[in-house]
Amino acid sequence: MQSLTPEQQLAKMRADWDARARENARYYVATQQELWSDDEFIRSGESTVSEQIRNDMINVCQGKNPAEMRVLEIGCGAGRVTRALAGLFGEVFAVDISGEMIAQAAGFLKDRPNARVFKNNGTDLSVLNAHLPDGAVDFAFSTIVFQHIPSREVIETYVREVNRLLRPGGLFKFQVQGYVEQEGIAYESTPDDTWLGVTFSDEQAIALAEATGFEPRHRHGAGEQYFWLWFFKR
Ligand SMILES: C[S@@+](CC[C@H](N)C(=O)[O-])C[C@H]1O[C@@H](n2cnc3c(N)ncnc32)[C@H](O)[C@@H]1O
């Protein structure tokens, strides 16, 4: 197993995702098809928001009017989900490690002035400090991002950072790789693999919440690729 310093690992994540974005951003963002028209890509983002957010508005909004809510997305890629979030919520702030992905997202969102995308350092949300005070976010979301991150520390830092920016009681709904074994063999990522990230067992997900100031109120899909976590800020 190749060993990398945290800086080398972040640099590799950025370089790999920039290369994927240059090759075919929409494919690497959503691998169901190689070529996506704008309409198809828009519909795909709308589906994600319908399946994960619109059907869960009690937890997501907690009585607030979505048009008055400020939301945060980690790992926005080419803006697939960001665009649908901007159609539902008042304001969207999104970050991604890849400048190439952010450039694609900015183009895709140019008619959505309530969505703002930022290239970040791949581990924390300090890039938003000039725009958002602590506690200013009503809801945070991330899908098919942490499943690619080969570092438990980076994921924990993100979750801690989301906690800092969320208002008390606010929800961070996100997906991690829950696939801990395959045909009886433990599944292990390597530090230089930026496609297959670290996995979380149910116990590790609970420990992550406890370590970062969240209540892990609901969890769905433990043991599966799409392991969804509902973390409510304490
Ligand atoms: C498979 S794409 C998904 C994009 C988007 N969430 C969606 O569902 O359309 C994964 C995204 O995560 C981003 N990413 C990977 N590692 C990251 C990190 N450490 N910090 C922020 N973004 C990261 C990649 O650049 C890429 O845009």
Side-chain angles (χ1 to χ4, degrees), residues 52-168:
Q52 304 301 338
I53 295 175
R54 284 188 188 270
N55 63 355
D56 193 19
M57 294 297 260
I58 290 176
N59 286 317
V60 170
C61 302
Q62 301 172 15
K64 280 200 163 196
N65 175 356
E68 288 166 11
M69 286 173 64
R70 184 182 286 137
V71 310
L72 168 68
E73 184 190 8
I74 311 283
C76 62
R80 188 182 69 91
V81 175
T82 325
R83 192 179 171 91
L85 290 173
L88 176 60
F89 296 105
E91 250 185 304
V92 182
F93 287 81
V95 302
D96 198 285
I97 192 171
S98 160
E100 298 281 345
M101 286 288 185
I102 287 294
Q104 297 252 354
F108 189 53
L109 295 164
K110 56 180 182 305
D111 59 338
R112 288 280 184 272
N114 61 330
R116 300 174 67 182
V117 293
F118 299 82
K119 174 182 161 182
N120 81 330
N121 60 12
T123 189
D124 70 29
L125 298 172
S126 54
V127 70
L128 299 177
N129 286 355
H131 307 274
L132 292 177
D134 290 359
V137 168
D138 296 298
F139 167 63
F141 185 75
S142 184
T143 184
I144 46 178
V145 175
F146 291 167
Q147 68 168 31
H148 294 296
I149 296 184
S151 160
R152 221 166 270 288
E153 292 70 33
V154 167
I155 294 171
E156 183 167 328
T157 301
Y158 269 131
V159 177
R160 209 179 286 285
E161 282 284 89
V162 172
N163 187 278
R164 175 174 71 78
L165 288 179
L166 266 182
R167 64 170 179 77

